[in-house]
Amino acid sequence: MKATVTSDDMELSEAPWRNDELTFDGQSLDEIAIILSRVYNTKIKIDDPSLGKECFAGTIHNTNIRNFIDILNLTTPIDYYFKGDTIHLRRR
C-alpha cells in the first residue's frame, strides 16, 4: 500500500495503493496518525502534543500497523505502547 498525503486535503490517493507503500513528505505526526488510523482502522493517540507537531518524510513498505510503528520506533525518538484498543505514541 502507498498513501500519498498532502496537508491541504489529507486524502489518500487511490492509484499508489498498489505499490504496498506508505509515503510521507514532511507531514506532521498528527497528520500521519490520522492517516494511519484510516489505513489500519485503529485508534492512535499522541501522548505528547509537541511530538505531534514534528514532521517526518519517508516511505515504508506497508505490511501491518505493528511493523509500521516498529520501524517508526527504530528510526525516530518515538516509543509506543498499547492501552486497550488504542496505540499511544510518546517521546523516548
Side-chain angles (χ1 to χ4, degrees):
M1 269 182 224
K2 180 177 180 180
T4 303
V5 185
T6 64
S7 57
D8 293 336
D9 60 14
M10 291 285 294
E11 292 182 14
L12 302 175
S13 69
E14 295 176 16
W17 285 99
R18 290 176 271 172
N19 295 330
D20 266 351
E21 299 176 336
L22 288 170
T23 299
F24 298 102
D25 187 20
Q27 280 75 27
S28 70
L29 188 58
D30 283 334
E31 293 172 316
I32 292 170
I34 291 168
I35 297 303
L36 294 177
S37 291
R38 290 179 187 166
V39 169
Y40 295 110
N41 194 28
T42 190
K43 297 176 191 171
I44 299 174
K45 181 177 185 318
I46 301 170
D47 291 349
D48 178 352
S50 68
L51 184 61
K53 306 299 178 223
E54 292 194 25
C55 296
F56 297 89
T59 299
I60 296 180
H61 296 281
N62 178 29
T63 54
N64 61 52
I65 186 66
R66 183 64 181 247
N67 287 345
F68 188 96
I69 58 176
D70 281 342
I71 291 168
L72 197 62
N73 176 259
L74 291 170
T75 59
T76 68
I78 296 172
D79 194 15
Y80 67 92
Y81 64 96
F82 294 89
K83 186 172 184 180
D85 62 349
T86 302
I87 299 169
H88 289 259
L89 303 177
R90 61 183 174 197
R91 193 177 304 276
R92 250 187 269 153

